[in-house]
């Protein structure tokens, strides 16, 4: 039995590679959105001006493809790491159980419990390592990657894909690319931002994606299920980390602020275009 | 006024009598007129003018005075009579809009002197002439320029538009005498409103008028669907100035022009413009980028034919060739792309329609659920915080 952990003990939740991947996704996502929305809403009052500000259609197109390349690279890296953990490191707990990101029946139960809690009809659910909304966020991005990436590559290289696909598929590809982009940007800039950053209890920003660390006290309140398991196991199986380097907090706050402001700004543009 | 001296007639009368002829009494000479009108008439200008060069008499134009013997003459005379020599031109003028306007009481409307001048008339080949090719726009612009509204000309200041046009720049800035000026399109004496079927700028006559200079294009246009419809009397078919405009005509090679003419095509082909706007080509061109397929890029311009015509650039026979102009090396599959796909038309684009329905349904479902979820969560946290709960309550 190890010594009891203090409430300020820091548990490593995301390793450096996970955080780096997230930053890569943030940068490429914002870049793709910024350069893609003017096209999607080309009829809107702001799109031509934004396109000009971005250096014109050709420059924006180049940046769009650059960010697409970055996103694809980060995603490929992520998938490679997943496969390594499963097949090389034999971490089968990733596939099922309390540490798994795979949706499980418990998640549906907890979702309804959470809704009941919202309207004061029950207690907060005993969330574990990954909550149902975190799983949804993850899988929406995961499958969205194939949809947005597949349709995007089709539009990028129509001469190649038309070697085996009929031309009318590109009509469909454009619609899918646009609607998926709208779904992704709309979701990230409202619901994901709210879930992770803009909730009153998290406001103004959740820094876990920069520090990778979560305090035991937070674990106790946000993930009581995991907290219980941690205490029963005496901390074995968890990584207790020293405080993050001092530069991470200010840089993380700055980066996060820019990302949130850009995202909310684009949300305003989307709503403006839809209202126009 | 110098008094008339009957003695001056003695010599010529004697001479004529000797010949056995009995002449009419001669009218005043030019010198006689200049004796009083030297202030109003610039003698040097007159001598330099084409009429002066031809040694015409004052009374050849001022015919009221041809037989005058009493001076000073009446204060009010008839306007100078140009028909003596220019009967054809005056007859043409009489049919024109300017003459009609004057008959209706609008005395500001141009008469002969307003365009040609009075005693200082020069041949149109003379650079100093008001009807010299490079000067015509200024001459017409005296009324059809800044003062157009003042004079009630509903077309407005066409001079300003012309000066900025490709024709105007060609003439004024580049000194190209071949560049179209007012009379090249409108004619000169028999200028008629464009609503008049006999007008050179009437829609049905436009191809012929423009074709005087653009001879290579007129026969091409005549064979196109637009040309055929116009020739059959369909006034809805576009003529030259429907696409190119008239006084403000621009250079057609510029990106800006390509983007502007899209709207003109769309004024008749509304549905096609709408569906074009939904494509990638349309999205990009809407952002102001002209180097992307626009109507003319696929359909052609003067040589447009119906899709069903084998020679049409968008016919099944030639579509791949048309796509290859921007997408070289593509195959028949590529040409199956629908540049005017309508996501709302279940019959035309069934797969596209259902894809749209599916994606819209997905968007609605996700946002309906999660926005509700977010609103409830937010209200719970706000209420708890208001009750003094901790950050983690």
């Amino acid at each position: 039995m190890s010594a009891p952990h203090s409430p300020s003990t820091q548990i490593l939740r995301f390793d450096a590679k996970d955080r780096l991947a997230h930053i890569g996704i943030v940068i490429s996502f914002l870049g793709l959105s910024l350069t893609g929305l003017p096209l999607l809403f080309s009829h809107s009052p702001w799109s031509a001006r934004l396109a000009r500000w971005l250096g014109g259609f050709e420059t924006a197109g180049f940046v769009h493809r650059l960010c697409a390349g970055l996103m694809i690279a980060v995603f490929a890296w992520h998938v490679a790491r997943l496969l390594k953990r499963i097949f090389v490191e034999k971490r089968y707990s990733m596939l099922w159980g309390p540490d798994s990101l795979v949706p499980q029946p418990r998640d549906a139960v907890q979702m309804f419990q959470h809704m009941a809690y919202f309207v004061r009809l029950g207690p907060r659910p005993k969330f574990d390592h990954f909550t149902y909304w975190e799983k949804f966020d993850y899988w929406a991005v995961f499958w969205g990657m194939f949809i947005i990436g597949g349709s995007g590559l089709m539009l990028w290289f129509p001469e190649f894909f038309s070697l085996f696909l009929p031309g009318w598929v590109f009509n469909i590809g454009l619609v899918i690319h646009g609607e998926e982009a709208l779904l992704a940007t709309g979701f990230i800039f409202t619901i994901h931002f709210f879930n992770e950053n803009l909730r009153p209890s998290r406001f103004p920003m959740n820094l876990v994606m920069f520090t990778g660390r979560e305090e035991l006290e937070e674990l106790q309140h946000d993930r009581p299920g995991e907290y219980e398991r941690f205490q029963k196991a005496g901390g074995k199986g968890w990584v207790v980390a020293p405080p993050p380097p001092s530069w991470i907090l200010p840089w993380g706050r700055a980066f996060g602020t820019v990302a949130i402001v850009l995202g909310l700004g684009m949300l305003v543009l989307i709503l403006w275009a839809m209202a126009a | 006024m110098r008094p008339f001296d009957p003695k001056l007639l003695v010599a010529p009368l004697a001479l004529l009598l000797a010949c056995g002829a009995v002449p009419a009494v001669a009218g005043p000479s030019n010198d006689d007129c200049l004796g009083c009108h030297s202030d109003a008439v610039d003698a040097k200008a007159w001598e330099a003018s084409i009429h002066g060069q031809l040694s015409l008499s004052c009374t050849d134009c001022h015919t009221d005075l041809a037989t005058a013997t009493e001076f000073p003459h009446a204060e009010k005379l008839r306007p100078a009579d140009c028909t003596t020599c220019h009967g054809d031109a005056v007859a043409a003028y009489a049919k024109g809009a300017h003459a009609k306007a004057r008959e209706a009481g609008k005395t500001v409307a141009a008469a002969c002197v307003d365009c040609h001048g009075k005693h200082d008339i020069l041949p149109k080949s003379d650079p100093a002439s008001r009807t010299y090719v490079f000067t015509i726009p200024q001459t017409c612009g005296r009324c059809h320029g800044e003062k157009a509204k003042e004079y009630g000309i509903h077309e407005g200041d066409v001079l300003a538009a012309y000066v900025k046009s490709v024709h105007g720049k060609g003439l004024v800035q580049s000194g190209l005498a071949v560049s179209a000026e007012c009379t090249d399109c409108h004619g000169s004496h028999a200028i008629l409103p464009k609503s008049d079927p006999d007008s050179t700028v009437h829609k049905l006559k436009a191809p012929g008028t423009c074709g005087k200079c653009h001879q290579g294009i007129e026969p091409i246009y005549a064979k196109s669907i637009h040309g055929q419809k116009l020739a059959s009397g369909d006034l809805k078919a576009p003529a030259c100035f429907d696409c190119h405009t008239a006084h403000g005509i621009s250079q057609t090679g510029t990106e800006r022009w390509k983007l502007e003419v899209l709207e003109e095509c769309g004024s008749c082909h509304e549905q096609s413009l709408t569906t074009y706007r939904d494509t990638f080509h349309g999205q990009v061109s809407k952002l102001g980028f002209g180097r992307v397929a626009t109507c003319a890029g696929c359909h052609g311009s003067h040589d447009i034919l119906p899709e069903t015509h084998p020679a049409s650039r968008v016919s099944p026979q030639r579509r791949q060739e048309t796509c290859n102009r921007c997408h070289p090396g593509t195959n028949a599959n590529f040409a199956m792309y629908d540049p005017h796909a309508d996501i709302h038309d279940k019959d035309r684009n069934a797969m596209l329609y259902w894809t749209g329905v599916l994606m819209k349904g997905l968007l609605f479902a996700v946002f309906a659920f999660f926005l509700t979820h977010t609103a409830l969560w937010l209200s719970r946290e706000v209420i708890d915080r208001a009750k003094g709960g901790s950050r983690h309550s």
Side-chain angles (χ1 to χ4, degrees), chain A residues 32-241:
Chain A
L32 284 160
S33 307
L34 206 53
T35 54
L37 290 173
L39 265 185
L40 182 59
F41 296 108
S42 60
H43 62 283
S44 76
W46 50 263
S47 55
R49 200 178 316 176
L50 179 54
R52 244 186 336 265
W53 183 80
L54 292 169
F57 161 74
E58 281 180 311
T59 302
F62 173 77
V63 171
H64 198 78
R65 288 164 178 77
L66 208 58
C67 291
L70 174 58
M71 182 172 277
I72 290 170
V74 171
F75 183 69
W77 182 40
H78 174 68
V79 170
R81 292 186 67 219
L82 286 184
L83 296 176
K84 183 189 178 195
R85 286 164 170 168
I86 294 169
F87 294 109
V88 177
E89 298 172 15
K90 315 285 187 190
R91 287 163 55 173
Y92 299 128
S93 64
M94 284 180 51
L95 298 177
W96 200 260
D99 283 330
S100 174
L101 254 168
V102 174
Q104 292 161 65
R106 175 178 69 252
D107 295 302
V109 173
Q110 288 183 340
M111 184 183 79
F112 285 110
Q113 289 175 339
H114 205 198
M115 302 281 272
Y117 164 76
F118 293 155
V119 294
R120 299 182 182 281
L121 294 179
R124 286 184 71 251
K126 289 176 69 174
F127 293 123
D128 211 301
H129 193 60
F130 290 117
T131 64
Y132 68 89
W133 69 83
E134 287 164 348
K135 293 184 184 186
F136 185 91
D137 282 11
Y138 175 82
W139 288 108
V141 173
F142 192 93
W143 296 124
M145 198 66 68
F146 290 101
I147 298 173
I148 200 84
S151 56
L153 287 169
M154 268 177 55
L155 297 171
W156 189 349
F157 303 107
E159 293 89 352
F160 168 75
F161 284 96
S162 63
L163 293 176
F164 47 89
L165 293 174
W168 52 263
V169 170
F170 297 91
N171 288 104
I172 294 173
L174 186 72
V175 167
I176 289 176
H177 198 71
E179 297 292 338
E180 180 67 24
L182 183 58
L183 177 56
T185 53
F187 184 89
I188 295 294
F189 299 150
T190 55
I191 292 147
H192 181 66
F193 274 13
F194 175 84
N195 289 348
E196 301 306 329
N197 295 294
L198 302 179
R199 275 194 280 137
S201 60
R202 286 285 178 80
F203 196 81
M205 207 178 306
N206 181 358
L207 292 168
V208 70
M209 264 308 170
F210 302 109
T211 63
R213 292 147 171 84
E214 209 163 47
E215 287 186 357
L216 211 49
E217 183 188 2
E218 290 182 29
L219 200 68
Q220 182 175 11
H221 288 102
D222 290 344
R223 302 172 204 283
E226 184 175 18
Y227 181 76
E228 263 181 35
R229 290 192 296 115
F230 176 89
Q231 294 294 34
K232 278 177 185 170
K236 202 179 304 172
W238 279 258
V239 178
V240 174

